[in-house]
Amino acid sequence: MTTNTARERLINAAVEAFAEKGFAATTTRDIASRAGMSPAAVYVHHDSKESLLFTVSLDGHRSALAVINRAAASSSDPVDRLRTMVYDFSLWHADNSRVGRIVQYEYHALTPEHRAEVATLRRSIERTMQDALADGVDQGVLDVTDIPGTAFSLLSLGVDLVRWFEPGGSRSGHDLATLHADLAIRMTAARAAPAQPSA
């Protein structure tokens, strides 16, 4: 078994166990069993169960940040850009709902140092959304008075999916991401001033 394969199996086993049982109820032995490894072999790659959780959380947040950064660079039109950002961010959370559920619900199980590192990635995601909104306001095509609050609210549309979304349900990830993107534009698009009656 190669090191990369062993690591991938271990991370996948940790995601499966944390999603099914929660971090507190999961043991290192349980993770090792799911990965087809001995408990001792786990410590070759991670020195604790929390270290595994941190890796899952770090990988998840880096992936989500990459998604929203790519979306932010996808268009120079602020409205199209915002639509793509909200759609892609929501779709990522639908497609990765198990990982998303773990990193949201088990955040406080991380050590203070690890929480701080993850929080830095969260702030980067929020800043990317804030910058997109600010650009749209500057160009006069978005109407947003509270940019930090609006950015947080739009991102929360996607993040909240991990709380209840299950693949194969009545609505697909694409359907929900499309709805979120449409809602984002309705919430933020500047309205044209009504025409003044002629004298």
Side-chain angles (χ1 to χ4, degrees):
M1 182 186 299
T2 66
T3 300
N4 286 341
T5 300
R7 179 185 182 278
E8 289 169 5
R9 289 178 61 178
L10 193 56
I11 294 303
N12 290 339
V15 168
E16 182 181 292
F18 293 153
E20 180 182 316
K21 303 174 71 172
F23 176 78
T26 297
T27 65
T28 303
R29 183 176 296 277
D30 183 29
I31 295 170
S33 176
R34 291 170 189 258
M37 302 166 64
S38 68
V42 173
Y43 293 104
V44 173
H45 303 278
H46 294 274
D47 60 7
S48 67
K49 183 177 68 170
E50 188 275 341
S51 173
L52 272 166
L53 176 63
F54 176 57
T55 298
V56 172
S57 186
L58 202 61
D59 289 350
H61 280 87
R62 284 173 173 167
S63 178
L65 176 60
V67 163
I68 204 162
N69 280 342
R70 283 195 300 270
S74 66
S75 175
S76 59
D77 179 88
V79 175
D80 288 343
R81 180 194 303 136
L82 181 63
R83 185 186 301 277
T84 301
M85 290 172 71
V86 173
Y87 175 88
D88 287 0
F89 193 70
S90 289
L91 185 62
W92 185 91
H93 280 83
D95 288 344
N96 298 275
S97 56
R98 276 205 314 178
V99 170
R101 194 174 301 127
I102 293 165
V103 302
Q104 293 300 324
Y105 290 165
E106 306 292 0
Y107 175 72
H108 291 288
L110 296 169
T111 65
E113 294 79 11
H114 287 167
R115 281 201 305 272
E117 192 165 345
V118 169
T120 297
L121 294 172
R122 290 186 173 190
R123 286 192 295 271
S124 294
I125 291 170
E126 292 173 9
R127 187 160 50 248
T128 300
M129 182 64 78
Q130 289 173 17
D131 289 346
L133 291 172
D135 182 55
V137 170
D138 289 345
Q139 294 194 41
V141 294
L142 297 181
D143 183 9
V144 178
T145 55
D146 181 353
I147 287 177
T150 302
F152 185 82
S153 297
L154 294 179
L155 292 169
S156 293
L157 291 172
V159 171
D160 190 60
L161 283 177
V162 306
R163 181 174 56 83
W164 58 269
F165 179 80
E166 290 293 340
S170 59
R171 288 194 169 189
S172 68
H174 164 73
D175 292 340
L176 292 165
T178 299
L179 173 62
H180 290 176
D182 289 344
L183 288 172
I185 301 307
R186 292 187 185 190
M187 290 164 61
T188 61
R191 271 49 170 187
Q196 297 296 317
S198 57

